[in-house]
Amino acid sequence: MTVFQYIRNNFLLSEDASVDIAQWREQVLSAILFFSLFLGVIAALPSMFIAINEGLWSIVVVDILALIWVAAIWRAPALSFTLRTWNFLLLLYLLGVWFLMKVGLTGLIYLMAFPVMASLLLNLRQALISLLIATLSLLLIGYVSDANLRIVGFNSQPFMRWLVVTINFAFICSIMSISCSVLLQRLNFSLRQQQLIALSLEREKASLRATNEELRLTVAAVSGLNDIVMIVQNHLDHDDIQHLTIVFVNDAFQRHTGFAAEAVIGKSPAFLIGTQTQKEELDRVQFALQHFEPVHVELIAYRRDGGEFWMEADIVPLADEHGAFTHWVATGRDISERKKTEEHIHRLAYFDALTGLPNRRLLLDRMTILLAHARRTTIVSAVLFIDMDNFKYINDARGHAVGDALLKQVTQRLNGLLREVDTVARIGGDEFVVLMSNIAEDVANGAHAASHVAEKIRHAMHQLFDIDGLMYSTTCSIGVTLLPRGHQNADDLLREADTAMYRAKSAGRNQVAFYEVGMQSEIEYRLTMERELTAAVVGHQLHMVMQAQVDRLGKPVGGEMLMRWVHPHRGNISPAQFIPVAEESGMIISMGDWAMQQACLALLKLEAAGISIPLSVNVSPKQFRQLDFVDKVQRVLRETGVKPERLILEVTEGLLIQNLQDTIARMHELTSIGIRFSIDDFGTGYSSFAYLKKLPLYELKIDKSFVQDTPDNQNDTAIVQSILSMAEHLGLRVVAEGVETREQAEFLIESGCSTMQGFLFARPMPVDEWIGLQPPSAALVTHTHGV
């Protein structure tokens, strides 16, 4: 073993932080003694050789004794650390005194080492005592023995010379001793801190080992569970948007979903969601995530192969030591079988086994809910009781299999005719009930809507049924009742509809009957009107007439095309009667297209007569909202060759209630080719001035209800004047309708109205007749106001 290996193994400070300062001082003393002996031998050999040559045998003896003394202290483990230290310090002191008396300057080195070693090996108090002894010894022995030491300027004053030496010696020794002591105190403190840290680390390591073992057991237990376990980390980005990433899934998750752990770790759990996952359950989960609350949900989840399964899940937030919620733990289980069982039980309790329709129990529940809603909102709904006529004969003659097949086809036809919000139920052998919700805001329109659907059902049931290649014919009787009315309950509704159904059967079957007789008469009248109007369109009973519009001087400046119906038996039928029927039935679209074509043909007749005035024609909201409306207008203009500037389209304010932006875009498309727009019956509908700034309008037509009481009625007078003033500021032409007296005309002229229309000036008449009434000079003058 080399000297350096010996030094490394025995004298270097151990890396073990548990070594305290006392042990450290033991090691330092051993190192100092070893180095003193080792280096002393190396230094003493030349010194003794020189001393022998010079005859200084005392130096040889002192060196040998000193080396023996150091060796004895170093190899004397029985002695305590304190005794060994003081032996070493005493040796240094004696060597310093001896060298001071014999050699001089060399003694200062040993005397200086005396207090410094005391500070290093003992403590500051012992070091100060040693410093005091060394200082006094230096002063006394140096002065008495008159050691060989020169100081410039003090050769003649020995005491002062040694006093100066002693003071400087004390100063340097003090600094070195105090420095060593402070360093050792800090080292002692550091070692104590390291010991505390080491102890704490040991405890933490023990706790960590226990925690790791507990975690290992927990992971093993969780991984072996049959329930799905998923741990999700929650973190916020710079915009405080919540992001979820999966950090753990157990084996059950992989078994139930088909997703491997490595495929989902680090991803959002959104891949478990699909098109059939319940939105309301997802909303509950989202609310819980935002508010860090636990939540229990049952929802449809998706496997890796796209298959669905029902999962019951409990989602719980986890907080860290600072209280911040950083993770979510979701535990779930596959409850598909339970849901199938529940669904089967539910269907047995609430649905008809043959047709799959709701049964009487579920129907009564929905009726009760709809009644409560109807009473709050006063919106009208309807109940239709349907009984198949002569079904018993088919069932008895052909057997129950054919009867069941017929009932299934009846179910299919009913479902195809109704809305998703409506309910079709089977409550008996051949009895069906239709619950129509929210069909109108008033009883009259509700009755009409219910009647319309009942007629569709009656017509559909009258069609032949194909069962195994054989055709069967049957009809149905339908009873209708409306709600809410009085104190009806669900049983009352069924009873009323059933009563009306028997009334339909007694009337000859294949009929529709209402529970109230008066309502039945109204429905029959409207159905008759609808049938006759259909025949009128086909039989050319409709025709167009023109009513002129005049200026302040009574000269024609325009005209409005009006539709008339002359019934072959009942004569003239008012537009107030047949136009609403056309609107509700949808016939208004074809009738409106025909009216526009007739208006263009009338313009050609006027132009041929040399009269260039524009004509207005009414456009219904349904007609205007047709996707091909613009194309139809352009096609009529091309086919007739009419200039678009001569055509004014009159629309009502009701057109502006829905899809205003689409309406504006369509109007701009038509005005770009020259067509102009007029608001008919202004002030009676939407009555909002906000849209006037947005729409490309040409004129406003003041409704005759405001004109007929002017100038006597102050309210109507004020309304008319307000409309005229507003139109003037907006640069719009104004036409006052329904002018029948000279007083009305004079009031309108004085108020600034430029154009009037009414019986005072002209009655509606065919265009040819109106042209024939114009004086010859009128053909030479064209009135193109605003063109």
Side-chain angles (χ1 to χ4, degrees), residues 730-765:
L730 294 176
L732 298 177
R733 181 192 189 203
V734 177
V735 178
E737 293 184 302
V739 182
E740 298 180 356
T741 66
R742 177 57 57 185
E743 290 78 10
Q744 294 171 350
E746 290 176 352
F747 162 73
L748 291 168
I749 293 172
E750 291 174 358
S751 300
C753 182
S754 61
T755 309
M756 293 168 285
Q757 177 182 341
F759 290 166
L760 177 64
F761 308 105
R763 289 184 174 273
M765 63 185 69

Side-chain angles (χ1 to χ4, degrees), residues 476-531:
C476 67
S477 299
I478 304 175
V480 183
T481 188
L482 300 181
L483 63 127
R485 186 178 64 249
H487 299 285
Q488 290 171 311
N489 57 33
D491 292 326
D492 292 335
L493 288 173
L494 275 182
R495 177 181 53 78
E496 292 173 3
D498 189 27
T499 301
M501 183 272 296
Y502 277 107
R503 184 181 297 162
K505 280 190 177 293
S506 63
R509 302 179 186 274
N510 193 26
Q511 300 289 327
V512 176
F514 274 76
Y515 179 69
E516 293 184 357
V517 178
M519 189 180 297
Q520 177 71 22
S521 301
E522 172 66 20
I523 291 301
E524 289 178 353
Y525 173 77
R526 297 187 74 160
L527 287 175
T528 301
M529 176 73 72
E530 186 175 329
R531 287 195 294 268

Side-chain angles (χ1 to χ4, degrees), residues 65 187 190 326 353 409 412 500 615 640:
L65 290 176
L187 177 61
S190 298
T326 59
Q409 290 195 24
Q412 293 174 358
L615 289 182
T640 60

Side-chain angles (χ1 to χ4, degrees), residues 278 281 298-301 303 308-312 333-337 339-340 343:
Q278 299 85 340
E281 292 294 275
E298 293 182 2
L299 46 73
I300 295 176
R303 299 186 179 91
E308 300 175 357
F309 71 99
W310 273 93
M311 181 171 65
E312 178 185 37
R333 56 212 59 87
D334 189 338
I335 57 171
S336 300
E337 291 300 322
K339 281 295 181 179
K340 289 180 181 178
E343 183 180 359

Side-chain angles (χ1 to χ4, degrees), residues 432-633:
F432 296 84
V433 174
V434 173
L435 183 61
M436 298 175 59
S437 60
N438 305 332
I439 58 175
E441 296 184 355
D442 57 75
V443 173
N445 287 319
H448 178 69
S451 174
H452 181 69
V453 174
E455 283 295 329
K456 287 170 59 179
I457 293 173
R458 188 183 66 82
H459 178 73
M461 295 301 115
H462 191 58
Q463 307 303 310
L464 294 176
F465 290 88
D466 183 354
I467 302 175
D468 296 332
L470 297 177
M471 308 306 291
Y472 294 88
S473 175
T474 185
T475 58
C476 67
S477 299
I478 304 175
V480 183
T481 188
L482 300 181
L483 63 127
R485 186 178 64 249
H487 299 285
Q488 290 171 311
N489 57 33
D491 292 326
D492 292 335
L493 288 173
L494 275 182
R495 177 181 53 78
E496 292 173 3
D498 189 27
T499 301
M501 183 272 296
Y502 277 107
R503 184 181 297 162
K505 280 190 177 293
S506 63
R509 302 179 186 274
N510 193 26
Q511 300 289 327
V512 176
F514 274 76
Y515 179 69
E516 293 184 357
V517 178
M519 189 180 297
Q520 177 71 22
S521 301
E522 172 66 20
I523 291 301
E524 289 178 353
Y525 173 77
R526 297 187 74 160
L527 287 175
T528 301
M529 176 73 72
E530 186 175 329
R531 287 195 294 268
E532 291 183 345
L533 183 58
T534 303
V537 172
V538 176
H540 305 291
Q541 298 174 17
L542 301 177
H543 65 279
M544 301 295 292
V545 295
M546 183 189 112
Q547 186 174 30
Q549 300 169 349
V550 301
D551 62 9
R552 300 178 183 184
L553 300 177
K555 294 181 179 181
V557 292
E560 180 181 4
M561 300 299 293
L562 302 171
M563 188 178 295
R564 293 293 183 260
W565 178 15
V566 180
H567 193 277
H569 304 295
R570 292 191 284 149
N572 290 324
I573 297 178
S574 170
Q577 292 180 290
F578 72 82
I579 292 298
V581 175
E583 287 276 2
E584 294 171 4
S585 65
M587 286 190 291
I588 193 65
I589 297 173
S590 60
M591 291 168 60
D593 295 342
W594 174 79
M596 187 175 301
Q597 184 183 40
Q598 293 301 307
C600 290
L601 295 175
L603 283 169
L604 292 179
K605 292 179 180 181
L606 290 172
E607 188 174 352
I611 303 173
S612 298
I613 60 174
L615 289 182
S616 302
V617 63
N618 287 280
V619 176
S620 80
K622 282 187 178 180
Q623 180 187 3
F624 185 87
R625 293 193 182 105
Q626 295 298 305
L627 295 178
D628 59 347
F629 175 72
V630 175
D631 294 335
K632 285 182 178 179
V633 174

Side-chain angles (χ1 to χ4, degrees), residues 153-444:
F154 292 95
N155 291 333
S156 61
Q157 298 177 337
F159 180 76
M160 290 302 296
R161 182 176 66 218
W162 282 103
L163 182 60
V164 170
V165 172
T166 301
I167 291 173
N168 285 276
F169 172 83
F171 172 69
I172 296 301
C173 285
S174 297
I175 291 175
M176 296 176 66
S177 299
I178 293 172
S179 298
C180 287
S181 178
V182 171
L183 287 174
L184 288 174
Q185 287 179 0
R186 297 308 301 172
L187 177 61
N188 186 32
F189 177 78
S190 298
L191 289 174
R192 295 298 179 191
Q193 290 297 110
Q194 290 184 16
Q195 289 175 349
L196 293 176
I197 293 173
L199 182 60
S200 175
L201 288 175
E202 283 297 326
R203 292 173 180 171
E204 290 294 332
K205 286 171 63 177
S207 175
L208 184 60
R209 284 194 295 270
T211 302
N212 286 337
E213 180 63 18
E214 181 181 356
L215 181 60
R216 185 184 66 82
L217 296 175
T218 302
V219 170
V222 170
S223 297
L225 288 176
N226 288 326
D227 287 350
I228 295 170
V229 178
M230 178 173 62
I231 301 177
V232 180
Q233 185 179 18
N234 170 62
H235 61 91
L236 300 177
D237 60 17
H238 298 297
D239 298 325
D240 290 335
I241 298 176
Q242 192 177 55
H243 295 278
L244 303 176
T245 54
I246 298 174
V247 296
F248 173 82
V249 292
N250 68 343
D251 296 339
F253 176 91
Q254 301 179 58
R255 289 196 304 271
H256 285 285
T257 66
F259 290 100
E262 57 271 14
V264 300
I265 297 297
K267 295 184 178 180
S268 168
F271 59 84
L272 295 172
I273 300 171
T275 55
Q276 299 299 318
T277 305
Q278 299 85 340
K279 183 179 183 302
E280 59 274 11
E281 292 294 275
L282 294 178
D283 291 341
R284 292 181 59 228
V285 172
Q286 185 64 29
F287 180 85
L289 294 179
Q290 291 175 351
H291 295 82
F292 299 102
E293 297 177 354
V295 63
H296 176 87
V297 293
E298 293 182 2
L299 46 73
I300 295 176
Y302 284 79
R303 299 186 179 91
R304 185 172 180 268
D305 59 4
E308 300 175 357
F309 71 99
W310 273 93
M311 181 171 65
E312 178 185 37
D314 293 282
I315 305 174
V316 181
L318 290 182
D320 59 15
E321 63 273 12
H322 304 296
F325 291 99
T326 59
H327 292 79
W328 295 88
V329 176
T331 57
R333 56 212 59 87
D334 189 338
I335 57 171
S336 300
E337 291 300 322
R338 192 190 83 190
K339 281 295 181 179
K340 289 180 181 178
T341 303
E342 291 176 355
E343 183 180 359
H344 180 65
I345 295 173
H346 178 76
R347 294 197 66 82
L348 289 176
Y350 290 99
F351 290 87
D352 176 56
L354 174 64
T355 63
L357 296 175
N359 59 14
R360 179 186 292 268
R361 181 178 179 182
L362 181 55
L363 175 66
L364 291 174
D365 287 347
R366 293 185 179 179
M367 281 184 173
T368 302
I369 295 172
L370 184 59
L371 271 170
H373 174 73
R375 291 192 182 102
R376 289 196 307 270
T377 62
T378 68
I379 297 178
V380 177
S381 299
V383 177
L384 281 61
F385 198 111
I386 305 168
D387 184 87
M388 305 304 297
D389 299 327
N390 304 319
F391 173 76
K392 185 176 183 299
Y393 300 143
I394 298 175
N395 208 33
D396 293 343
R398 297 297 182 180
H400 290 287
V402 173
D404 291 346
L406 177 61
L407 292 176
K408 290 180 180 179
Q409 290 195 24
V410 168
T411 300
Q412 293 174 358
R413 292 189 184 183
L414 289 174
N415 286 328
L417 292 172
L418 299 170
R419 305 170 299 172
E420 291 186 3
V421 296
D422 299 330
T423 296
V424 182
R426 181 186 178 216
I427 62 172
D430 61 346
E431 295 177 335
F432 296 84
V433 174
V434 173
L435 183 61
M436 298 175 59
S437 60
N438 305 332
I439 58 175
E441 296 184 355
D442 57 75
V443 173

Side-chain angles (χ1 to χ4, degrees), residues 603 612-615 642-648 676 784 787:
L603 283 169
S612 298
I613 60 174
L615 289 182
V642 170
K643 296 179 181 179
E645 294 80 3
R646 302 297 180 194
L647 185 62
I648 300 175
R676 292 172 293 180
T784 57
V787 178

